[in-house]
């Protein structure tokens, strides 16, 4: 088929809104157009994806490629869309069936040799995928971070070819490392155990009582004359 839709998630603070990566291959002069409120780092995926596919042993389609990151009103940044774009091109070019993209999500930046590089802010993405009850393929170097989410179906991958083999059924990816709590909460510590900080505590009480947003700013005086 000449059309593919891949599921991924954007980064938006502590949330990760779902993004549909729509890939269309058409006849005409070879071109690669990427739309959908994408900043420069996202648009540079054209060259990263092209090199990653070629260096992974695939022929890059000599067609007019259009990639739409929907919805268009959500800003997109970073290289996290490289992997879903590459998988969309492989499906649209006929390397994989379109059914391989059902009920699965992807996130990851691609190196020029096809390796999958880690991305920032992965925890909200893992939580979003877990809430939708779908497995997530993500960079293997992010596995320790992703393991902080206990109820997620996680599939870490280190290169583009291993993701292709997983979707084609040749060699399945191994699940991420099991969830291991890094610390325990001491329920004996309460509000009264905070020494001082009266102004900050009052601000927190006011914000909580009125359900207001709260921004905490830290000021550091770098004047060495003030350190005496």
């Amino acid at each position: 088929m000449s059309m593919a839709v891949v599921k991924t998630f954007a980064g938006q603070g502590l949330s990760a809104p779902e993004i549909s990566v729509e890939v269309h291959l058409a006849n005409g002069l070879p071109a690669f157009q990427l739309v959908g409120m994408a900043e420069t780092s996202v648009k540079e995926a054209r060259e990263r994806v092209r090199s990653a596919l070629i260096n992974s042993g695939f022929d890059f389609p000599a067609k007019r490629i259009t990639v739409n990151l929907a919805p268009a009103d959500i800003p997109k940044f970073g290289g996290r869309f490289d992997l879903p774009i590459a998988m969309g091109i492989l499906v649209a070019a006929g390397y994989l069936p379109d059914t391989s993209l059902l009920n699965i999500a992807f996130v990851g930046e691609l190196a020029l040799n096809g390796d999958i590089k880690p991305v920032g802010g992965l925890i909200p993405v893992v939580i979003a995928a877990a809430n939708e009850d779908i497995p997530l393929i993500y960079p293997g170097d992010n596995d320790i971070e992703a393991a902080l989410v206990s109820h997620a179906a996680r599939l870490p991958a280190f290169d583009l070819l291993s993701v292709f083999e997983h979707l084609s059924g040749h060699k399945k990816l191994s699940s991420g490392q099991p969830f291991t709590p890094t610390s325990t909460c001491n329920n004996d510590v309460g509000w009264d155990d905070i020494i001082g900080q009266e102004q900050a505590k009052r601000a927190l009480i006011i914000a909580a009582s009125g359900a207001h947003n709260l921004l905490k700013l830290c000021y550091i005086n770098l004047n060495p004359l003030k350190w005496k």
Side-chain angles (χ1 to χ4, degrees), residues 8-12 34 37-46 48-49 69 74-85 107-110 117-121:
T8 186
F9 299 92
Q12 201 172 59
L34 198 156
M37 205 174 185
E39 69 164 19
T40 302
S41 60
V42 180
K43 292 182 178 180
E44 291 172 346
R46 294 175 295 190
R48 292 193 297 268
V49 170
L69 305 179
I74 297 178
K76 291 89 178 176
F77 59 89
R80 65 175 60 209
F81 302 101
D82 291 1
L83 181 58
I85 290 173
V107 63
E109 179 180 341
L110 290 176
K117 304 174 69 174
V119 298

Side-chain angles (χ1 to χ4, degrees), residues 163-176:
V163 178
F164 172 80
E165 292 178 342
H166 173 82
L167 296 180
S168 61
H170 295 155
K171 184 179 180 181
K172 292 297 183 179
L173 293 171
S174 301
S175 299

Side-chain angles (χ1 to χ4, degrees), residues 200 203-204 207 212-216:
L204 290 171
H212 303 300
N213 294 324
L214 185 67
L215 175 63
K216 182 179 180 182

Side-chain angles (χ1 to χ4, degrees), residues 3-75:
M3 179 75 185
V5 180
V6 188
K7 181 177 293 188
T8 186
F9 299 92
Q12 201 172 59
L14 297 179
S15 63
E18 181 179 326
I19 301 296
S20 294
V21 180
E22 303 170 348
V23 180
H24 179 242
L25 305 186
N27 295 326
L29 293 176
F32 195 134
Q33 184 70 22
L34 198 156
V35 297
M37 205 174 185
E39 69 164 19
T40 302
S41 60
V42 180
K43 292 182 178 180
E44 291 172 346
R46 294 175 295 190
E47 305 307 323
R48 292 193 297 268
V49 170
R50 185 195 309 271
S51 297
L53 287 173
I54 293 174
N55 289 322
S56 297
F58 302 101
D59 292 328
F60 193 79
K63 292 181 176 291
R64 184 175 182 84
I65 304 174
T66 303
V67 178
N68 179 39
L69 305 179
D73 58 347
I74 297 178

